[in-house]
Amino acid sequence: MKLQQLRYIVEVVNNDLNVSLTSEKLYTSQPGISKQIKLLEDELNVQIFTRVGKHLSEVTPVGEQIIALAREILNKAQDIKILAKEFSQPNQGSLRITTTYTQARYTLPLVIQQFMQQYPSITLHMEQGSSPQCLMQVQTGQADFAIVTDLSDLSDDMIALPCYHWNQAVIVMKDHPLAKSSLVTIDELSKYPLVSYDFSNDGSDLNQAFIKANQVPNIVFSTTDADLIKTYVKLGVGVGIVAKMAVDESSDCEFVVLNAGHIFPYSTTYIVFARSLFLRNYMYDFISQFSPHLNRQTIDKISLCENNVAVQAMFNGVKLPVR
């Protein structure tokens, strides 16, 4: 059994059993991957994959367990290399972050700037995506950290560190009828066309607030981009519901900003990483710069929790900052 064979079966699964695509990403030949997978199956005397003709069709039950262990072995092998680098090249390496638009646009720039000034030799890669996409990248090892709010797709092979709370705000133009409202209500919001984030998820906090009030929101435009929401509010398309952190008093002075904390529950932003991730010193520092209450001692203590229920229990009664 070779590490290369384990890497092949893991990468094939990561690429939806597409051996051709796997070979391209690993810069090797398709027949070579197929041969090594077959040699591993022959050595183990089990089928890891079922086949239709020459194509892999699905992972067998025993294959699922083998691949899970293969991931652990590959991660530990990578940890050995990372541990050596931590001593030989402590301030060199890479940090791969995946996050949503709002976090990338409004909360990360200053943190990234500070981090890069402290660690100029660290290569930073940042990608934007939806929360499920971000969590999948962490789970498959394509990213070190996901910075997200929606944990619907979180599994216990990942750890979610709560960073801060944030609220929604209602934004309207100065000539809008709601601009004179001292305390906007959900009944009032239901009377106007709305421009906001995606309401299609029945479990979303925005949608649930309207359901509890027995109101049906009139969503005319939805997007993950807060700047687009503001653009369409300016065009008179509707009333905006947007993360409060996305509204700047100086650059967005044409809006009237109405608090909505009494209508919609606060949301929480998390830094998520795989349990198998070997945290280097600069990774601890990044987490602490993004969320100062998460120091190294706290992070190490959290990492010992068996699951994310236990992680969240650690923060019961802890007052997180609000943005």
Side-chain angles (χ1 to χ4, degrees):
M1 187 186 305
K2 302 175 183 178
L3 282 178
Q4 182 190 56
Q5 293 172 326
L6 301 182
R7 185 171 293 108
Y8 284 167
I9 62 173
V10 167
E11 288 302 319
V12 163
V13 172
N14 289 346
N15 289 288
D16 298 323
L17 306 187
N18 188 324
V19 178
S20 177
L21 180 59
T22 303
S23 66
E24 290 178 16
K25 290 188 175 181
L26 295 180
Y27 302 102
T28 189
S29 68
Q30 182 176 340
I33 291 178
S34 298
K35 178 181 178 181
Q36 289 302 318
I37 291 175
K38 188 67 172 63
L39 287 173
L40 179 60
E41 289 180 322
D42 289 344
E43 178 183 348
L44 298 176
N45 197 32
V46 294
Q47 271 196 309
I48 298 172
F49 302 99
T50 57
R51 294 164 173 80
V52 176
K54 294 183 179 181
H55 299 286
L56 305 181
S57 58
E58 61 181 352
V59 183
T60 64
V62 68
E64 295 279 2
Q65 297 180 57
I66 291 171
I67 289 165
L69 289 172
R71 289 190 191 276
E72 292 182 23
I73 292 169
L74 292 172
N75 286 333
K76 292 302 180 185
Q78 184 64 20
D79 284 351
I80 293 172
K81 295 179 181 179
I82 294 172
L83 181 61
K85 281 187 177 180
E86 190 64 25
F87 285 89
S88 63
Q89 301 172 314
N91 294 328
Q92 294 184 16
S94 65
L95 180 60
R96 301 165 298 168
I97 299 170
T98 180
T99 188
T100 58
Y101 175 86
T102 299
Q103 305 300 327
R105 172 69 176 81
Y106 297 104
T107 65
L108 276 171
L110 290 179
V111 177
I112 294 295
Q113 182 183 43
Q114 178 185 354
F115 179 80
M116 296 308 296
Q117 288 173 349
Q118 183 178 355
Y119 293 102
S121 298
I122 299 298
T123 303
L124 180 69
H125 304 275
M126 191 162 71
E127 292 188 19
Q128 179 193 327
S130 65
S131 290
Q133 289 170 337
C134 293
L135 293 177
M136 179 58 70
Q137 285 186 302
V138 165
Q139 191 169 35
T140 57
Q142 299 173 66
D144 300 312
F145 296 151
I147 301 177
V148 297
T149 296
D150 182 4
L151 296 182
S152 301
D153 294 333
L154 184 72
S155 60
D156 279 329
D157 57 356
M158 295 182 273
I159 295 173
L161 307 177
C163 299
Y164 61 85
H165 299 315
W166 55 274
N167 291 317
Q168 306 283 353
V170 173
I171 57 173
V172 294
M173 300 304 291
K174 293 180 179 179
D175 59 352
H176 192 279
L178 285 181
K180 298 178 182 179
S181 177
S182 58
L183 190 68
V184 66
T185 67
I186 200 163
D187 291 343
E188 288 178 302
L189 285 180
S190 64
K191 297 175 183 177
Y192 297 98
L194 302 177
V195 180
S196 188
Y197 303 115
D198 188 7
F199 271 70
S200 61
N201 178 7
D202 288 340
S204 74
D205 290 335
L206 295 177
N207 206 31
Q208 283 297 310
F210 281 92
I211 291 173
K212 288 179 181 178
N214 294 316
Q215 297 290 344
V216 178
N218 178 19
I219 307 299
V220 294
F221 184 82
S222 63
T223 177
T224 58
D225 187 330
D227 286 335
L228 272 180
I229 293 173
K230 290 188 282 187
T231 296
Y232 280 89
V233 171
K234 289 178 186 178
L235 293 173
V237 173
V239 172
I241 303 175
V242 68
K244 194 172 183 179
M245 73 179 87
V247 186
D248 182 84
E249 289 184 3
S250 56
S251 60
D252 295 320
C253 57
E254 67 266 56
F255 296 121
V256 173
V257 183
L258 304 169
N259 288 328
H262 59 290
I263 300 176
F264 306 111
Y266 65 73
S267 299
T268 305
T269 291
Y270 301 84
I271 287 185
V272 181
F273 58 87
R275 285 186 176 276
S276 58
L277 179 67
F278 183 95
L279 288 171
R280 296 190 61 181
N281 286 331
Y282 62 80
M283 293 180 174
Y284 282 105
D285 285 347
F286 177 86
I287 294 173
S288 295
Q289 287 171 13
F290 185 75
S291 191
H293 68 278
L294 295 172
N295 56 40
R296 185 168 188 148
Q297 183 180 7
T298 301
I299 296 168
D300 285 341
K301 187 176 180 181
I302 291 170
S303 297
L304 297 175
C305 293
E306 293 185 1
N307 51 51
N308 281 292
V309 173
V311 171
Q312 299 312 308
M314 281 188 60
F315 289 87
N316 288 342
V318 175
K319 190 175 182 180
L320 296 180
V322 178
R323 297 185 183 178

